[in-house]
Amino acid sequence: MQIRLSRDIGSAAFIAIACAFANTAILVPANAAVEPRALVAPVADYKIYVTGKVRELVTDTRAFTDAVKAGDVAKAKALFAPTRTSYEAIEPIAELFSDLDAAIDSRADDHEQAEKDSGFTGFHRIEYGLFEQNSTAGLAPYADKLMADVLELQKRIASLTFPPDKVVGGAAVLMEEVAATKISGEEDRYSHTDLWDFQANFDGSRKIFELFRPLLGTDDRAFVEKVEANFATVDKILAKYKTADGFQTYDKLTDADRKVLSAAVNTLAEDLSTLRGKLGLG
């Protein structure tokens, strides 16, 4: 357990004990604007949330990769988008492990030979085979590697020290990534299941805000109301595209639809980018 906290021995002792009971650890900047002990509960609760999402990811990835290895194209296609949502919701933490993030979630553009590159692995390599080639041929090794990488991610997160600045900053990061790159549809370019990812990013961002919102002062009431209204706006837009079994494919959205979504996400991201500073963590 690593704790770098206040000069107050009582506070340090309190946090050490609380972290032990929460089975987590935190690194608190010395200049934190909130009481160090106030960060313990939301960080611990966020680790519980992430741990649960990783558990779901492991279970869902096993079912997905089993379908791929069994040659069941239809089932594998149906499981692709929902399997990814747990990963997308916790991306700020998953991305702390750059080697695993590259193996699990890189895109063809990240590799010199694109889809033909041997280093292109993970969800999107399998997505390419399933949706672009409509086949599971040759995908078994990628499925095995994906499963192994997800299990390794679970192992690393279990022992991870959660830095509060990274956690709080993650609320904005999730929305900024959608606005900056994902809104174009380049992430799930073969399956067009981008809206599943957007919803998961949105849910992960909102979870962080909800956990740390109580730490904001009464003078931040207008900020809280504004952010909550912006979350409601994005949620309402995404709800328009929901179907009985998930979401419409992203290629069905018009340029105008995408601009409306992009504007709402950008507004939300801009506000959330100030959250870390308001808590004295950035």
Side-chain angles (χ1 to χ4, degrees):
M1 182 188 308
Q2 300 178 31
I3 303 176
R4 175 164 27 98
L5 284 173
S6 69
R7 306 157 196 157
D8 181 341
I9 296 176
S11 293
F14 172 87
I15 292 172
I17 294 170
C19 285
F21 276 108
N23 192 31
T24 189
I26 60 174
L27 291 171
V28 180
N31 66 337
V34 299
E35 282 289 326
R37 70 179 67 195
L39 293 166
V40 173
V43 172
D45 285 345
Y46 185 65
K47 183 162 187 178
I48 291 170
Y49 169 77
V50 170
T51 300
K53 286 295 180 183
V54 174
R55 190 180 304 118
E56 291 175 17
L57 178 64
V58 168
T59 299
D60 293 345
T61 301
R62 183 168 286 114
F64 172 62
T65 54
D66 282 351
V68 170
K69 291 193 292 182
D72 193 335
V73 174
K75 184 175 181 180
K77 283 183 175 181
L79 292 177
F80 173 75
T83 297
R84 284 177 45 74
T85 57
S86 296
Y87 188 86
E88 291 293 319
I90 62 165
E91 243 180 343
I93 298 301
E95 289 179 348
L96 293 177
F97 307 105
S98 58
D99 59 328
L100 289 178
D101 184 53
I104 292 170
D105 201 36
S106 68
R107 301 154 201 175
D109 300 348
D110 299 323
H111 304 276
E112 186 176 351
Q113 298 180 47
E115 288 88 356
K116 296 180 180 180
D117 201 300
S118 61
F120 179 35
T121 63
F123 278 116
H124 296 301
R125 176 60 183 85
I126 297 174
E127 177 197 12
Y128 171 69
L130 291 174
F131 293 90
E132 191 74 10
Q133 300 180 316
N134 197 36
S135 173
T136 59
L139 295 183
Y142 296 112
D144 285 337
K145 178 170 172 51
L146 175 60
M147 189 69 245
D149 288 337
V150 165
L151 288 170
E152 177 63 20
L153 178 66
Q154 182 181 44
K155 179 181 175 181
R156 293 193 199 179
I157 286 178
S159 60
L160 175 67
T161 295
F162 276 41
D165 59 330
K166 295 293 185 183
V167 173
V168 174
V173 168
L174 282 163
M175 293 293 92
E176 288 167 353
E177 190 173 352
V178 172
T181 60
K182 294 183 178 181
I183 204 73
S184 68
E186 57 93 16
E187 169 116 19
D188 299 313
R189 66 191 66 177
Y190 316 112
S191 63
H192 306 297
T193 54
D194 305 82
L195 289 169
W196 290 78
D197 287 7
F198 296 174
Q199 183 70 61
N201 293 152
F202 173 83
D203 291 343
S205 178
R206 182 164 53 183
K207 182 65 175 181
I208 294 170
F209 180 73
E210 289 174 347
L211 288 174
F212 288 88
R213 178 178 53 198
L215 302 188
L216 294 168
T218 54
D219 55 338
D220 285 315
R221 187 172 301 164
F223 168 76
V224 170
E225 291 176 354
K226 184 181 179 184
V227 171
E228 289 178 339
N230 289 336
F231 270 121
T233 297
V234 175
D235 197 27
K236 184 177 180 180
I237 293 171
L238 289 173
K240 288 168 50 180
Y241 307 113
K242 287 185 176 178
T243 63
D245 57 353
F247 286 92
Q248 295 179 24
T249 55
Y250 196 55
D251 55 334
K252 292 181 179 178
L253 272 67
T254 65
D255 287 342
D257 291 333
R258 297 186 188 199
K259 286 180 181 178
V260 170
L261 177 57
S262 178
V265 170
N266 266 309
T267 299
L268 177 58
E270 288 172 5
D271 286 338
L272 289 173
S273 69
T274 68
L275 180 60
R276 192 167 62 176
K278 288 179 179 295
L279 296 176
L281 295 171

